[in-house]
Amino acid sequence: MYSYAWERGVSAASWLSINTMENNGDGKRGLPKLREIFTRQRQDSDSSMADCPDIEFNYDDADSPENEIAEFYSYTEGPEFQLNLKAWEEVCGELGVVPLWQSASDTSHRTLIIRLADHLELCNRSQRMRAARAILYIAQGCWGEVQSDREQVMWARRNVFLLVQCGVWSSFLQLLHLEIENTGGNENQRKIAISIADSADLRVILSVLYTIVETLRVPSDDDTEAQTQTRLYFCDELGQPQGEDGELVAMTLLGMVTRFCNSSAPHFPIRKVLLLLWKVLLSSLGGMQQLSVMKNAYREKYGLQPCEEDTLSVARTMRASSPPASAADLIEQQNNQKRRPFRRGLMKQSSLDDSVGELDLTAAADDDEQPTNDMDEPPDLPRPPSPRPGTPVPNNTTNKGLPWTPKVRQKDIDSFLDSTRVKFVGFQLQGDRTSLAGLPLPIHEGVKVLSKHVYVSLSEIQIRQEEEMTRNPLSHPETDIPQTPAEILYQAMLPTLPQCMIALLKILLAAAPTSKAKTDSINIMADVLPENMPTTVVQSMKLGVDINRHKEVLVKAVSATLLLLLKHFRINHIYQFEFMSQHLVFANCIPLILKFFNQNIMAYVQSKNTIPLLDFPACVIGDPPEMTAEALEDNSGNLGGGNTSPGGSGGSPSGGCGEGGNSNQGCVSCCWRNMYSCTNLLRILNKLCKWKHSRIMMLVVFKSAPILKRTLKVKHAMMQLYVLKLLKMQTKYLGRQWRKTNMKTMSAIYQKVRHRLNDDWAYGNDPDARPWDFQAEECALRACVDRFNSRRYNSTIDPDFEPLDNCVTSVLGRPVELTEEFKKHYEVWLQQEVFSAAIDWDQLLAPNI
């Protein structure tokens, strides 16, 4: 009982006082006192859940380019923008050029960029970095000459195309490799306190690279045909090895992340590295639209039907469900039921009516909202007798269908046929999927319905091919592997993939709001803490907002990177996905994500850790704003939920309400990056646990059900969909009492999650879920993955499986190196092995019988 109260947020002292009152004989006051505590805690929270408006958020590959570039810069490095302008003026003065970019011609622009690129190869470090800052000023749109944000964006895009066409990208890649191996890293490693000043040069180089990638990643309607070709060629080149060493840009950045986490380079600006890594992967591999096209192309290649339903597209048409109830509402509703008892009819009801009656009784104990919401039971079910006449239903009412087409696996049909044959015939027919002799007619209809909704996934085909190549390595050799960007990346990541996954999860753990500061953890604040700590209240407030914003951006970058890699590896080959997912599970990714969601998630998605006046380019255009403590407080209260896209739509070009845009209560804006991070983490958790009983049991062991149920308070259809999927996986293990007291959550699962025919997820009858097989399941999967990696990517081939040359001409014509000892005793060998050996040539030429 105390554990229940502790989970609901009641302190130990409050519970002890309630328990003492009950033991003293005043038991009647215990329940009202408990209800009073719950009510007071709910009123003291940040917002009441009585209204529960929809969250205004549109999920996409990334936020708008303007917001993404603004998040790349921290507020602490705001004064460094003036250093870029100063470097530009000094270089122009040395070259004898007027420092006015807009008034010069295109020919002058190209000539100046080429001359600046030559300065990048100077031996003098200060002159080299001054030219780099001047190029960064050009990439930023020469903001000293513009009058508005729109003008800055226009000039920045035009200048980035010029920089790429003049070869600046390759020059800055060389500078990046030079800075990574710079000896200054050893000096920074010995320093006690690392600040933003230790990474000044690296941040300039990464800023130029990020501005180029982010600008060319998104197409524009104003681009010319030449610019479109330049953009497509650049994105293709990002997925290929570059530079003298032939290394992928993504691998260079992953190496920086690994070195940062093992404390060999603590001065690396990890925020900029992670953001650049994410955008490089997004540009080279492709986003959601490219993934959908690639998936259908792969399915067509294997002779499968294309997928007509896209999860994200269907989720955008859904309505958000009402959140689950709090403890105070549960107690109040229970008291109302006691004062108003339910009268059951005298006539015996059918089983369907009984189940509906039970749903009506228990549904009121599971949600804050009244029963009239979109989580109610379907309207076409018969209802139990009521003491008063029901409200007449209009004749033009139409029932809404399910949002998804039901699916069934071939494995489920096989198990269904095996069980029914044993029941009705008495024996099984292994491998027979067509013979239905001796089975009743309803079984025939059931098999027909199941066969109609069979869905064969890419993973099943790929696993089947791997099994064939394992059993028959000679007759089914490995064919030519298509060198797609995902395949090239996986081959490069394979030796260091475990270290990369651990490094990314370390950063995610350090940036999570629920993590506590530790002395031995990595210092993720190295590129946000100023060299001199703040001395005024305004500086302290600004630094506090900057630190919180910095953590949120890190979570966003890590979650997006992990999800993008999982999605592309899964389409490219299922065992590549399994290899990465197993290392994430071994590195405790599942409890880490659950720990992340074990917070006030509603407050997190509505956080206001943004100061628009200090975002780039608003901080450099026009007169600098005067920052006071009152202005910061007023500004943070009017941010509208953080970093939203123009028009207040949270990244949505249309500005609809939530995803469906049909809420009657209105919408509330949110912090786009935090909603994006939460959705990504839920999708990662789904991918790790889907069809894996051992990992589903990890969700049960770590008590994820109450954490996920609290996440349903965020009224956003897509986010709730992935939460309900996670709850559906583990429902059969949570027990009958949990299902009975969470009937509205069960109803939401029925309405929103895809139906798997003959899947008894709500009842707990799962023959595949054997607790003693969990470890064996992971070991078997690991063996398959290791066999795949060793066969496909290991250069050494087993000599027993090498191809044999049977051609007489090629065998006799092959040069043979004879040893000196053999040449010396050649006559002896000839006498013993040839002349003295009896050979029955008739037996040799006889056919084999």
Side-chain angles (χ1 to χ4, degrees), residues 59 505 508 558-560 562-564 566-567 570 577-578 580-582 584-598 676-700 702-709 711 719 721-730 778:
Y59 186 82
L505 292 182
L508 182 61
V558 173
S559 63
L562 291 176
L563 179 62
L564 197 63
L566 287 173
K567 292 283 291 182
R570 186 180 182 88
F577 164 81
E578 296 293 354
M580 178 180 172
S581 61
Q582 270 207 334
L584 287 176
V585 174
F586 295 159
N588 292 328
C589 181
I590 293 177
L592 173 57
I593 295 178
L594 294 177
K595 180 180 180 181
F596 178 87
F597 283 100
N598 192 18
Y676 181 74
S677 302
C678 293
T679 308
N680 286 342
L681 292 175
L682 288 172
R683 296 183 69 186
I684 292 172
L685 200 57
N686 270 280
K687 290 189 175 300
L688 295 181
C689 299
K690 187 176 181 181
W691 304 118
K692 303 292 190 303
H693 297 291
S694 58
R695 301 172 190 177
I696 295 173
M697 285 304 299
M698 291 180 67
L699 297 177
V700 180
F702 290 121
K703 300 185 184 334
S704 64
I707 298 175
L708 296 172
K709 189 178 175 183
T711 308
M719 188 171 174
L721 172 64
Y722 291 109
V723 174
L724 293 174
K725 283 185 176 182
L726 291 169
L727 288 173
K728 179 183 178 181
M729 294 178 188
Q730 53 182 319
E778 290 290 342

Side-chain angles (χ1 to χ4, degrees), residues 157 166 180 374 401 488 613 650 686 702 738 768 775 789:
R157 187 171 185 85
C166 294
I180 291 175
D374 52 302
I488 296 174
L613 294 178
N686 270 280
F702 290 121
W738 187 91
D768 294 334
Q775 188 174 3
N789 288 330

